[in-house]
Amino acid sequence: MIGTQDASETRPPSGPVIDPDHTARFARAHEDAGFDRILIGYSSSRPDGAQVAAYVAARTERLGLLVAHRPGFIAPTLAARSFATLDRFTGGRVAVHTITGGNDTEQRRDGDYLDKEERYDRTDEYLSILRRAWSSAEPFSHQGRHYRFEEYGSEVLPFHTSGIPLYFGGSSEAAYRVGGRHADTFALWGEPLAETAEQIASVRAAAVAAGRTTPPGISVSFRPILGATEELAWERAHHILETIKSGAGRPFFDQARHHHGQGGPTSAGPTSAGPANVGSQRLLAAAAKGDLHDRALWTPTATATGAGGNTTALVGTPETVARALLDYVDIGATTLLIRGYDPLDDAIGYGRELIPLVRQELAHRRATAAAAPAASSGPSALPAGSAPDPLGSHR
């Protein structure tokens, strides 16, 4: 994930809100580190994601662009043309991350007064139109609950005939229902393995209920904290936690509070009002059960930040964290989204120490799976835990 300003939960912002040099340096660091795709976030106060993506695309060569997009503020036909145009200019590097919006206060800042259930109903219709607009060579008309138009036809279609990949975020029943129907990849925040497996099952059940024969891929997000030894990794983790608690990143918290519609930090905790969105509620619930889960999942950073986004950490040596990431692959994750509490330096470090380990193990699994049919006359099958490369672009 990249931003246009140097900022984090661990320190105040540095430089202007839109810092072109930092944005380009940040994007190129991800490309050089071996990331396949970067997420460009969305809120009512942030720079426009599509324009940030266009700027980044002009300064990178292969890096995929996952643009967060909130349905309801522009017509789906216009969104279809906008993303298809960007996709053509970038040679097919665009994906769209759909965020329906889990907080009424944040939605109203851009003039949206629908309640949560109505927003998901609108998203359902919106994504149906988007898909058709990206695949239709002939004009078509539509009359639905939220949108109506006649004889829409566009001369610009996505770079790939398969269209533009749709990611989808959310943790509510409504999110499972709509994302299960439309998403190529359903995005979750990093919870313990058992809870993540439950969410994956819910997404897959929703996909089956929608009549899909192939379920969405699953993305899981974490904030890895690495060290040369386990002791150094935990020392760094606790230093990050104390820095967060100290208020050094207060301006970042203020921005997150604005985005999530929460109150500000208090002596009792990071916010005076809890988060409205289910994803943040789930992270805080996991944190309430204990600080450390499974192999390396650490939750105090979620508590300290009010779970304003993907805030749970994986702590340990690169080898430990790589194994922890692969634990999620074993239960169904097909994409891993990672970002650090020291965003630029951590991206560089992940490229040196973490990503190669994950790729190496996944390559070994693929080679083992490919060799299996030659060693057996029975039907071929992937071994338990085998999966596509989750650090690669979703296809």
Side-chain angles (χ1 to χ4, degrees):
M1 183 174 184
I2 70 162
T4 60
Q5 184 181 38
D6 184 12
S8 172
E9 296 94 336
T10 61
R11 61 177 182 271
S14 174
V17 172
I18 297 180
D19 184 335
D21 290 340
H22 171 77
T23 304
R25 184 167 61 251
F26 203 5
R28 285 195 290 264
H30 280 80
E31 184 165 74
D32 293 343
F35 284 81
D36 291 286
R37 184 167 281 155
I38 51 170
L39 173 63
I40 299 168
Y42 182 102
S43 84
S44 63
S45 60
R46 292 178 184 170
D48 179 70
Q51 295 188 58
V52 175
Y55 178 82
V56 167
R59 287 152 183 83
T60 55
E61 295 181 359
R62 61 155 194 87
L63 192 64
L65 308 161
L66 179 55
V67 185
H69 178 64
R70 213 177 263 175
F73 298 104
I74 63 173
T77 49
L78 175 57
R81 293 198 306 279
S82 174
F83 286 120
T85 300
L86 181 59
D87 197 47
R88 283 284 177 177
F89 274 121
T90 62
R93 288 200 271 160
V94 174
V96 176
H97 182 49
T98 307
I99 304 173
T100 298
N103 183 275
D104 292 344
T105 301
E106 164 67 6
Q107 295 294 122
R108 290 170 184 170
R109 293 188 179 109
D110 271 335
D112 182 17
Y113 285 82
L114 296 185
D115 64 26
K116 181 178 177 179
E117 287 300 319
E118 290 174 316
R119 290 197 295 269
Y120 274 101
D121 184 67
R122 179 180 60 192
T123 295
D124 193 0
E125 184 177 345
Y126 188 99
L127 294 180
S128 295
I129 295 168
L130 205 61
R131 288 283 200 194
R132 187 171 181 186
W134 283 337
S135 62
S136 179
E138 301 295 331
F140 67 98
S141 300
H142 175 87
Q143 183 165 342
R145 182 180 175 194
H146 300 280
Y147 299 101
R148 184 176 70 176
F149 54 86
E150 297 178 1
E151 293 299 303
Y152 170 79
S154 175
E155 295 179 359
V156 56
L157 297 176
F159 184 84
H160 298 292
T161 56
S162 57
I164 293 174
L166 281 179
Y167 285 61
F168 194 99
S171 293
S172 66
E173 291 300 321
Y176 300 150
R177 183 181 70 251
V178 179
R181 179 178 294 116
H182 295 285
D184 293 306
T185 299
F186 196 103
L188 304 171
W189 290 339
E191 298 182 25
L193 288 164
E195 286 86 338
T196 302
E198 291 172 359
Q199 289 214 77
I200 293 172
S202 295
V203 172
R204 290 175 174 172
V208 170
R212 294 181 62 172
T213 57
T214 302
I218 299 294
S219 171
V220 189
S221 304
F222 302 98
R223 310 290 288 272
I225 300 174
L226 305 180
T229 65
E230 298 293 336
E231 292 77 12
L232 289 173
W234 283 105
E235 181 180 324
R236 184 179 177 222
H238 285 287
H239 176 72
I240 287 171
L241 180 62
E242 291 308 311
T243 304
I244 292 171
K245 289 180 175 179
S246 75
R250 175 65 182 269
F252 189 94
F253 282 126
D254 289 343
Q255 183 185 60
R257 184 191 69 210
H258 182 86
H259 175 64
H260 292 283
Q262 297 172 312
T266 69
S267 59
T271 58
S272 59
N277 66 302
V278 177
S280 294
Q281 293 169 10
R282 289 182 62 98
L283 292 189
L284 293 176
K289 295 177 182 178
D291 289 352
L292 184 61
H293 300 260
D294 306 315
R295 191 187 300 271
L297 183 70
W298 196 53
T299 60
T301 46
T303 303
T305 58
N310 63 316
T311 46
T312 51
L314 293 175
V315 182
T317 63
E319 292 78 11
T320 294
V321 173
R323 288 194 293 269
L325 288 170
L326 290 162
D327 289 341
Y328 286 86
V329 174
D330 290 339
I331 64 168
T334 56
T335 297
L336 301 170
L337 192 156
I338 56 174
R339 64 183 177 119
Y341 281 101
D342 189 359
L344 178 58
D345 288 344
D346 280 341
I348 296 169
Y350 297 157
R352 285 198 308 259
E353 301 174 328
L354 181 59
I355 293 176
L357 292 176
V358 176
R359 290 200 191 281
Q360 180 180 346
E361 173 58 22
L362 290 168
H364 172 71
R365 293 183 181 190
R366 286 194 295 271
T368 301
S376 172
S377 59
S380 62
L382 291 177
S386 62
D389 187 343
L391 291 168
S393 299
H394 177 80
R395 291 174 175 83

